[in-house]
Amino acid sequence: MCWGVWMGTVLGRMYVDNPDIHLDSLARVAGHLCVTYTFIVSFSLAISGGFSRRGPAVALSFFLIFYCFVLNVLRAIWPGFDALKWTDFLYYYQTVIVVRDEAFKWRDIGVLMSASTIWWGVGLLVFVRRDIPAR
C-alpha cells in the first residue's frame, strides 16, 4: 500500500516522460510512510490484544490517531503545544523535510521503529497471557 503511490508515479512518469519528477525523493517518502504505518499497526495490535471486545479497542486506537492529528494542527496554530510534540507520531513523519533535504531522517525513522518494537512487544506479552475461551 505504501509503495502503490510510488509505483503509480513511476508508471505515470513513463507515460508522460516528465524529468521534473524525482523518483528517489518519492521513494524516501514511501519508505518513511511504511515505517509510520508499521508504528500505527503495532500500537493498534497492542491495544487489540488488551481488549476482549472489538469496539473499545477500535475506539481507543481511533482516539490515539485522532489525538495526533489534532495535536499536529494545534501545534501549527499555537506553539505552546510544542511541549507535547514527542507524543505525536506525525512529528516524526514530516515528508516535506524529507523531500526538501533529499535525505532520510534517520532519527525519526529510529524513533518510530523503536516505538513500533516496544508496542509490538507489549502486544505480544499481553496476547500470550490472555486466556481465550473456546466456544
Side-chain angles (χ1 to χ4, degrees), residues 4 7 9 11 19 26 38 49 52 61-62 71-72 78 85 96 98 102 108 117 130:
M7 287 301 296
T9 306
L11 293 174
L26 290 176
T38 302
S52 60
S61 296
F62 175 79
L71 184 60
N72 195 30
W78 185 35
K85 68 183 175 188
V96 173
V98 171
E102 295 183 357
D108 294 346
T117 304
R130 290 188 60 176

Side-chain angles (χ1 to χ4, degrees), residues 23-39:
L23 294 177
D24 55 338
S25 294
L26 290 176
R28 283 187 210 92
V29 169
H32 208 81
L33 180 64
C34 206
V35 171
T36 305
Y37 275 2
T38 302
F39 171 76

Side-chain angles (χ1 to χ4, degrees), residues 21-101:
I21 300 171
H22 302 288
L23 294 177
D24 55 338
S25 294
L26 290 176
R28 283 187 210 92
V29 169
H32 208 81
L33 180 64
C34 206
V35 171
T36 305
Y37 275 2
T38 302
F39 171 76
I40 293 170
V41 166
S42 65
F43 86 72
S44 296
L45 285 172
I47 290 170
S48 71
F51 284 92
S52 60
R53 311 255 332 148
R54 185 180 354 183
V58 170
L60 184 58
S61 296
F62 175 79
F63 172 76
L64 290 174
I65 293 171
F66 185 70
Y67 161 78
C68 290
F69 280 111
V70 169
L71 184 60
N72 195 30
V73 170
L74 291 176
R75 280 185 37 242
I77 297 170
W78 185 35
F81 283 104
D82 278 343
L84 297 174
K85 68 183 175 188
W86 64 274
T87 65
D88 181 8
F89 73 88
L90 293 173
Y91 172 71
Y92 303 104
Y93 177 65
Q94 299 177 7
T95 56
V96 173
I97 296 172
V98 171
V99 171
R100 182 192 66 199
D101 296 344

Side-chain angles (χ1 to χ4, degrees), residues 106-118:
W106 292 110
R107 179 187 158 278
D108 294 346
I109 289 174
V111 167
L112 286 172
M113 287 305 294
S114 299
S116 298
T117 304
I118 291 168

